[in-house]
Amino acid sequence: MAFGNIDDDFLFPGGPDLLASDPRHPLHEYHMAQALEQAEMARDADEVPVGAIVVHPRMGIIASARNQREELQDPTAHAEMIAITQAAAALGSWRLEHCMLYVTLEPCPMCAGAIVQARLPWVIYGAADAKAGACHSLYSITSDPRLNHRCRVIAGVLAERCGGILTEFFAAKRRSGKK
């Protein structure tokens, strides 16, 4: 599969099928670690610890974001939404056709819809979200054949670390009696 004028060998040395079959590929782990840094920043700001980055094959990381719903008092301020907006600004286009989104938690329906609208060809996430996941867990918005765009999804990259930061955050919230 080629994305525009950039072929898969350029995007993924060794071929996309190798990467798609191995969520432990070093490239995915490297980028997910960058998204985890954003999640840690969210946790430190007392936000739900989710982080996201957008990677362009020639430009590298063009966006990095964390959840900021509390800080901005904005229900749409999910890490993915902010990262998509930053990436579009960096490219000067809403079409993110050559980019990959890395996010520490499976995107929710709102974020999955934005992913489809942004024409992202790849989503790579860490922890599954049984309560709101819209790539595999509850819905499959990113691969729904009824929509005009679909993307490939790779699940489970650094899943234990990505899920662990969320588990620790919510356990601490329960112990302190905070929402």
PDB file of all heavy atoms in Angstrom, residues 154-170:
ATOM      1  N   ILE A 154      -2.533  -0.479  14.860  1.00  0.00           N
ATOM      2  CA  ILE A 154      -1.649  -1.406  15.566  1.00  0.00           C
ATOM      3  C   ILE A 154      -1.898  -1.191  17.048  1.00  0.00           C
ATOM      4  O   ILE A 154      -1.764  -0.067  17.552  1.00  0.00           O
ATOM      5  CB  ILE A 154      -0.170  -1.163  15.226  1.00  0.00           C
ATOM      6  CG1 ILE A 154       0.064  -1.354  13.729  1.00  0.00           C
ATOM      7  CG2 ILE A 154       0.725  -2.089  16.042  1.00  0.00           C
ATOM      8  CD1 ILE A 154       1.438  -0.948  13.260  1.00  0.00           C
ATOM      9  N   ALA A 155      -2.284  -2.248  17.731  1.00  0.00           N
ATOM     10  CA  ALA A 155      -2.631  -2.163  19.149  1.00  0.00           C
ATOM     11  C   ALA A 155      -1.571  -2.818  20.012  1.00  0.00           C
ATOM     12  O   ALA A 155      -0.856  -3.716  19.572  1.00  0.00           O
ATOM     13  CB  ALA A 155      -3.970  -2.856  19.384  1.00  0.00           C
ATOM     14  N   GLY A 156      -1.484  -2.351  21.252  1.00  0.00           N
ATOM     15  CA  GLY A 156      -0.679  -3.035  22.255  1.00  0.00           C
ATOM     16  C   GLY A 156       0.784  -2.647  22.335  1.00  0.00           C
ATOM     17  O   GLY A 156       1.561  -3.342  22.985  1.00  0.00           O
ATOM     18  N   VAL A 157       1.190  -1.538  21.728  1.00  0.00           N
ATOM     19  CA  VAL A 157       2.584  -1.113  21.806  1.00  0.00           C
ATOM     20  C   VAL A 157       2.844  -0.551  23.209  1.00  0.00           C
ATOM     21  O   VAL A 157       2.173   0.390  23.635  1.00  0.00           O
ATOM     22  CB  VAL A 157       2.922  -0.066  20.723  1.00  0.00           C
ATOM     23  CG1 VAL A 157       4.349   0.417  20.864  1.00  0.00           C
ATOM     24  CG2 VAL A 157       2.680  -0.647  19.337  1.00  0.00           C
ATOM     25  N   LEU A 158       3.767  -1.159  23.922  1.00  0.00           N
ATOM     26  CA  LEU A 158       4.075  -0.802  25.316  1.00  0.00           C
ATOM     27  C   LEU A 158       2.795  -0.767  26.158  1.00  0.00           C
ATOM     28  O   LEU A 158       2.624   0.092  27.028  1.00  0.00           O
ATOM     29  CB  LEU A 158       4.831   0.525  25.407  1.00  0.00           C
ATOM     30  CG  LEU A 158       6.189   0.595  24.698  1.00  0.00           C
ATOM     31  CD1 LEU A 158       6.826   1.975  24.912  1.00  0.00           C
ATOM     32  CD2 LEU A 158       7.130  -0.497  25.173  1.00  0.00           C
ATOM     33  N   ALA A 159       1.918  -1.714  25.901  1.00  0.00           N
ATOM     34  CA  ALA A 159       0.596  -1.736  26.540  1.00  0.00           C
ATOM     35  C   ALA A 159       0.673  -1.741  28.061  1.00  0.00           C
ATOM     36  O   ALA A 159      -0.116  -1.056  28.722  1.00  0.00           O
ATOM     37  CB  ALA A 159      -0.207  -2.937  26.049  1.00  0.00           C
ATOM     38  N   GLU A 160       1.584  -2.505  28.625  1.00  0.00           N
ATOM     39  CA  GLU A 160       1.665  -2.565  30.093  1.00  0.00           C
ATOM     40  C   GLU A 160       2.044  -1.218  30.686  1.00  0.00           C
ATOM     41  O   GLU A 160       1.451  -0.782  31.677  1.00  0.00           O
ATOM     42  CB  GLU A 160       2.658  -3.637  30.527  1.00  0.00           C
ATOM     43  CG  GLU A 160       2.124  -5.042  30.351  1.00  0.00           C
ATOM     44  CD  GLU A 160       3.068  -6.093  30.889  1.00  0.00           C
ATOM     45  OE1 GLU A 160       3.772  -5.817  31.884  1.00  0.00           O
ATOM     46  OE2 GLU A 160       3.096  -7.192  30.314  1.00  0.00           O
ATOM     47  N   ARG A 161       3.008  -0.543  30.099  1.00  0.00           N
ATOM     48  CA  ARG A 161       3.392   0.782  30.600  1.00  0.00           C
ATOM     49  C   ARG A 161       2.276   1.794  30.400  1.00  0.00           C
ATOM     50  O   ARG A 161       1.992   2.603  31.286  1.00  0.00           O
ATOM     51  CB  ARG A 161       4.672   1.266  29.913  1.00  0.00           C
ATOM     52  CG  ARG A 161       5.918   0.558  30.406  1.00  0.00           C
ATOM     53  CD  ARG A 161       7.176   1.049  29.728  1.00  0.00           C
ATOM     54  NE  ARG A 161       7.387   2.484  29.883  1.00  0.00           N
ATOM     55  CZ  ARG A 161       8.239   3.185  29.128  1.00  0.00           C
ATOM     56  NH1 ARG A 161       8.941   2.602  28.179  1.00  0.00           N
ATOM     57  NH2 ARG A 161       8.389   4.486  29.336  1.00  0.00           N
ATOM     58  N   CYS A 162       1.658   1.746  29.224  1.00  0.00           N
ATOM     59  CA  CYS A 162       0.573   2.691  28.928  1.00  0.00           C
ATOM     60  C   CYS A 162      -0.623   2.469  29.854  1.00  0.00           C
ATOM     61  O   CYS A 162      -1.218   3.428  30.347  1.00  0.00           O
ATOM     62  CB  CYS A 162       0.146   2.563  27.473  1.00  0.00           C
ATOM     63  SG  CYS A 162       1.408   3.094  26.286  1.00  0.00           S
ATOM     64  N   GLY A 163      -0.970   1.218  30.083  1.00  0.00           N
ATOM     65  CA  GLY A 163      -2.077   0.918  30.987  1.00  0.00           C
ATOM     66  C   GLY A 163      -1.714   1.158  32.435  1.00  0.00           C
ATOM     67  O   GLY A 163      -2.548   1.604  33.233  1.00  0.00           O
ATOM     68  N   GLY A 164      -0.455   0.889  32.788  1.00  0.00           N
ATOM     69  CA  GLY A 164      -0.005   1.048  34.169  1.00  0.00           C
ATOM     70  C   GLY A 164      -0.106   2.476  34.668  1.00  0.00           C
ATOM     71  O   GLY A 164      -0.524   2.717  35.811  1.00  0.00           O
ATOM     72  N   ILE A 165       0.251   3.436  33.831  1.00  0.00           N
ATOM     73  CA  ILE A 165       0.188   4.839  34.261  1.00  0.00           C
ATOM     74  C   ILE A 165      -1.265   5.247  34.522  1.00  0.00           C
ATOM     75  O   ILE A 165      -1.546   6.003  35.457  1.00  0.00           O
ATOM     76  CB  ILE A 165       0.897   5.776  33.245  1.00  0.00           C
ATOM     77  CG1 ILE A 165       1.081   7.180  33.836  1.00  0.00           C
ATOM     78  CG2 ILE A 165       0.164   5.823  31.929  1.00  0.00           C
ATOM     79  CD1 ILE A 165       1.941   8.094  32.980  1.00  0.00           C
ATOM     80  N   LEU A 166      -2.192   4.713  33.738  1.00  0.00           N
ATOM     81  CA  LEU A 166      -3.615   5.004  33.951  1.00  0.00           C
ATOM     82  C   LEU A 166      -4.123   4.338  35.224  1.00  0.00           C
ATOM     83  O   LEU A 166      -4.820   4.965  36.031  1.00  0.00           O
ATOM     84  CB  LEU A 166      -4.431   4.539  32.751  1.00  0.00           C
ATOM     85  CG  LEU A 166      -4.271   5.394  31.493  1.00  0.00           C
ATOM     86  CD1 LEU A 166      -4.621   4.605  30.253  1.00  0.00           C
ATOM     87  CD2 LEU A 166      -5.112   6.651  31.599  1.00  0.00           C
ATOM     88  N   THR A 167      -3.758   3.076  35.419  1.00  0.00           N
ATOM     89  CA  THR A 167      -4.179   2.343  36.613  1.00  0.00           C
ATOM     90  C   THR A 167      -3.688   3.032  37.878  1.00  0.00           C
ATOM     91  O   THR A 167      -4.457   3.234  38.833  1.00  0.00           O
ATOM     92  CB  THR A 167      -3.652   0.893  36.557  1.00  0.00           C
ATOM     93  OG1 THR A 167      -4.193   0.267  35.389  1.00  0.00           O
ATOM     94  CG2 THR A 167      -4.044   0.107  37.787  1.00  0.00           C
ATOM     95  N   GLU A 168      -2.427   3.430  37.882  1.00  0.00           N
ATOM     96  CA  GLU A 168      -1.856   4.122  39.046  1.00  0.00           C
ATOM     97  C   GLU A 168      -2.545   5.455  39.291  1.00  0.00           C
ATOM     98  O   GLU A 168      -2.828   5.816  40.443  1.00  0.00           O
ATOM     99  CB  GLU A 168      -0.361   4.332  38.853  1.00  0.00           C
ATOM    100  CG  GLU A 168       0.449   3.054  38.872  1.00  0.00           C
ATOM    101  CD  GLU A 168       1.878   3.259  38.395  1.00  0.00           C
ATOM    102  OE1 GLU A 168       2.326   4.426  38.261  1.00  0.00           O
ATOM    103  OE2 GLU A 168       2.554   2.243  38.139  1.00  0.00           O
ATOM    104  N   PHE A 169      -2.825   6.196  38.235  1.00  0.00           N
ATOM    105  CA  PHE A 169      -3.473   7.499  38.357  1.00  0.00           C
ATOM    106  C   PHE A 169      -4.850   7.366  39.012  1.00  0.00           C
ATOM    107  O   PHE A 169      -5.171   8.077  39.971  1.00  0.00           O
ATOM    108  CB  PHE A 169      -3.597   8.140  36.969  1.00  0.00           C
ATOM    109  CG  PHE A 169      -4.318   9.460  36.963  1.00  0.00           C
ATOM    110  CD1 PHE A 169      -3.662  10.628  37.320  1.00  0.00           C
ATOM    111  CD2 PHE A 169      -5.648   9.544  36.574  1.00  0.00           C
ATOM    112  CE1 PHE A 169      -4.319  11.854  37.292  1.00  0.00           C
ATOM    113  CE2 PHE A 169      -6.312  10.757  36.543  1.00  0.00           C
ATOM    114  CZ  PHE A 169      -5.640  11.923  36.911  1.00  0.00           C
ATOM    115  N   PHE A 170      -5.658   6.442  38.491  1.00  0.00           N
ATOM    116  CA  PHE A 170      -7.014   6.299  39.026  1.00  0.00           C
ATOM    117  C   PHE A 170      -7.016   5.673  40.417  1.00  0.00           C
ATOM    118  O   PHE A 170      -7.867   6.016  41.245  1.00  0.00           O
ATOM    119  CB  PHE A 170      -7.908   5.550  38.046  1.00  0.00           C
ATOM    120  CG  PHE A 170      -8.250   6.386  36.844  1.00  0.00           C
ATOM    121  CD1 PHE A 170      -7.786   6.042  35.589  1.00  0.00           C
ATOM    122  CD2 PHE A 170      -9.018   7.536  36.977  1.00  0.00           C
ATOM    123  CE1 PHE A 170      -8.103   6.827  34.485  1.00  0.00           C
ATOM    124  CE2 PHE A 170      -9.330   8.330  35.890  1.00  0.00           C
ATOM    125  CZ  PHE A 170      -8.864   7.972  34.632  1.00  0.00           C
TER     126      PHE A 170
END
